[in-house]
Amino acid sequence: MWARVKLDIAWSDLAYGLRRCVITPDRVLLEESIERRSSAAGNALVCFSVRTAFDLALQTLEFSPGSEILFSALNIKGMAKIARRFELVPVPLDLELDSMLPSPDAIERAITPRTRALVVAPLFGTRGDLSPLIAAARRHGLRVIEDCAQAFSGPSYSGHPESDVSMFSFGPLKFATALGGALVHVRDPVLLEVMRKRASSYPVLSTSAYAGRVLKFAALKLVSARPVLAMLTSAWRLTGRDYEDALAEPVRGVAPLGSVHQIRRRCPAAMLALLERRLFGFEAAGLAPRIHAGRRLLALLSGVVVCPGAGNPTHQFWAFPILVENPSGVMRALRRAGFDAATLRRSATVAPPGDRPWLDPVVAREALARLLVLPCYEGMPERELRRQAETIRLACASPACNPTPERA
Ligand SMILES: *Cc1c(COP(=O)(O)O)cnc(C)c1O
């Protein structure tokens, strides 16, 4: 079984993280050093997570209740939830399938005198041209927050130069993960200083909690290794349980989307040490095998299914999404063939405000309903990529997977 995600962390990184839980460095020095090395202009702020940074930005920007925040329509559920906690109204901007980004026109349709900010999240490891979108937001005097949680491509890219805030995540499922942490570039020095001051009052996650996290992910890395996963999934099937719940949920549930207390925290020293190692040890060339696998699978699937986001000039294949008519049928066929395809259960489209149903992001919503994420990463040989593409082609062609709607 090819696991749906490959944790982007080596055994040596996990060992380093654990060692730093025992011999802890000075966290203040470490934080300063990461920020200094990340931005010569002094724009960088290390946060506990992207959600922490977004919550900090909203606390600091102090938009009055009822203000509207434009969101590119698809994001993890937690982001719009944070805005709602401030009694702000998330307003979706529908996406274009090709880029999975909103067009600048979407801003014109959604803008009201109450709109204050734009939150745009480039998806799946793609990067498109945000300039027209940001220019449109600026014309209306909006703050621009760029959610680059899926788009880390090395310390040299720090977000669009016109964004007020660009946020990169090093959470467990992200590229170059430190099993937590975020690097944020805040271009308005006043905003930055207030965010920094506020963050410095948060409690530091305990080293033992972080050590527990490292151990948990070491265990998950072990069980998501191919032979182990194959053994486990067949054992699970024998006991009649669903692998989805037993194994996959803990992976996704590592950073629960719950309360404010869970995100209003600071990174412990050991997490910073691992973050520093991941950030500055990062080599863009390391992504080349993954990008190669992604491009191969794209070519193999061309004309078979739609691959949303594939039209972007940059694609690092953090995830490999496809759209199919019957995702559960195709997913079953793929799992039978040994490919652990999955739906995006932590993501959701932002619902339109009750009084403006015409802002329903139809394209994004229908895409999410038809979306499957495929295993596609370095280490998957051409033969397996071909077999996966063929499984999808057959599953999409089979009548069971293309149920004609029954109309009486
Ligand atoms: C992962 C993710 C987040 C959350 O990142 P954390 O650092 O875990 O808070 C936010 N937005 C998007 C688009 C993500 O993929």
Side-chain angles (χ1 to χ4, degrees):
M1 180 72 101
W2 293 99
R4 68 189 61 176
V5 285
K6 184 161 190 203
L7 295 177
D8 183 27
I9 189 163
W11 290 108
S12 56
D13 296 316
L14 291 164
Y16 181 83
L18 268 188
R19 226 162 38 239
R20 285 293 172 252
C21 288
V22 182
I23 312 163
T24 51
D26 184 303
R27 74 167 298 289
V28 175
L29 286 182
L30 201 47
E31 201 167 68
E32 284 172 4
S33 137
I34 295 173
E35 289 171 357
R36 204 170 43 243
R37 290 175 70 185
S38 299
S39 164
N43 290 335
L45 178 67
V46 173
C47 290
F48 185 66
S49 71
V50 159
R51 283 159 294 157
T52 308
F54 184 48
D55 173 74
L56 271 173
L58 291 183
Q59 287 182 69
T60 308
L61 289 166
E62 296 185 315
F63 300 132
S64 54
S67 297
E68 297 178 1
I69 311 291
L70 305 179
F71 275 84
S72 53
L74 185 59
N75 204 316
I76 62 156
K77 293 173 185 164
M79 294 294 284
K81 210 158 148 186
I82 289 171
R84 288 196 193 95
R85 274 197 210 121
F86 290 88
E87 296 179 54
L88 304 174
V89 182
V91 175
L93 300 181
D94 204 0
L95 308 179
E96 304 195 323
L97 281 184
D98 203 37
S99 62
M100 290 304 271
L101 288 169
S103 78
D105 298 345
I107 294 192
E108 306 304 332
R109 274 194 298 277
I111 198 95
T112 74
R114 294 180 303 280
T115 313
R116 292 290 173 271
L118 164 69
V119 178
V120 57
L123 296 172
F124 312 131
T126 64
R127 199 196 302 160
D129 180 13
L130 291 180
S131 298
L133 190 68
I134 294 179
R138 288 284 180 230
R139 275 199 298 281
H140 293 284
L142 307 183
R143 290 284 192 165
V144 176
I145 299 179
E146 195 185 0
D147 176 354
C148 303
Q150 304 184 359
F152 179 70
S153 58
S156 58
Y157 179 68
S158 55
H160 194 284
E162 296 292 323
S163 303
D164 290 293
V165 181
S166 306
M167 313 180 289
F168 295 86
S169 172
F170 299 88
L173 301 180
K174 302 292 154 67
F175 276 147
T177 179
L179 306 181
L183 189 66
V184 187
H185 293 262
V186 186
R187 294 183 184 81
D188 167 348
V190 179
L191 183 61
L192 173 63
E193 278 327 299
V194 183
M195 285 173 68
R196 190 194 302 285
K197 183 135 184 292
R198 203 178 297 263
S200 70
S201 70
Y202 291 167
V204 175
L205 182 79
S206 74
T207 299
S208 58
Y210 185 63
R213 201 186 268 200
V214 177
L215 290 173
K216 179 170 165 182
F217 278 94
L220 282 169
K221 185 172 165 70
L222 191 67
V223 301
S224 59
R226 220 171 148 235
V228 184
L229 188 60
M231 217 169 64
L232 287 176
T233 43
S234 42
W236 249 285
R237 252 183 237 130
L238 286 178
T239 65
R241 273 190 293 170
D242 184 5
Y243 149 81
E244 176 71 24
D245 308 316
L247 255 176
E249 270 320 303
V251 181
R252 272 193 289 249
V254 278
L257 305 173
S259 73
V260 159
H261 305 290
Q262 283 166 311
I263 59 168
R264 291 190 180 165
R265 288 187 187 279
R266 278 185 292 164
C267 305
M271 192 195 271
L272 292 174
L274 187 52
L275 179 61
E276 180 188 48
R277 174 181 162 106
R278 301 310 315 274
L279 264 175
F280 303 110
F282 183 89
E283 284 176 33
L287 286 176
R290 179 183 285 249
I291 294 172
H292 178 74
R295 290 203 181 134
R296 278 304 301 150
L297 191 54
L298 263 188
L300 291 164
L301 288 173
S302 134
V304 179
V305 288
V306 172
C307 300
N312 280 302
T314 305
H315 198 337
Q316 308 192 104
F317 299 96
W318 175 72
F320 195 107
I322 58 171
L323 304 185
V324 291
E325 289 312 317
N326 177 0
S328 51
V330 177
M331 183 163 82
R332 272 195 306 276
L334 280 166
R335 289 199 182 156
R336 272 197 306 274
F339 300 100
D340 175 28
T343 54
L344 272 185
R345 293 214 293 197
R346 282 184 73 178
S347 300
T349 47
V350 175
D355 58 343
R356 277 172 286 162
W358 60 87
L359 293 179
D360 181 29
V362 186
V363 175
R365 195 164 47 73
E366 288 179 356
L368 184 61
R370 295 168 54 206
L371 195 139
L372 280 183
V373 180
L374 306 178
C376 180
Y377 35 73
E378 61 282 13
M380 288 181 79
E382 171 76 16
R383 160 174 57 50
E384 288 294 90
L385 294 176
R386 276 182 188 278
R387 196 166 66 79
Q388 179 163 230
E390 186 58 17
T391 306
I392 292 165
R393 199 183 61 75
L394 289 174
C396 288
S398 101
C401 286
N402 268 319
T404 33
E406 282 172 43
R407 293 213 176 82

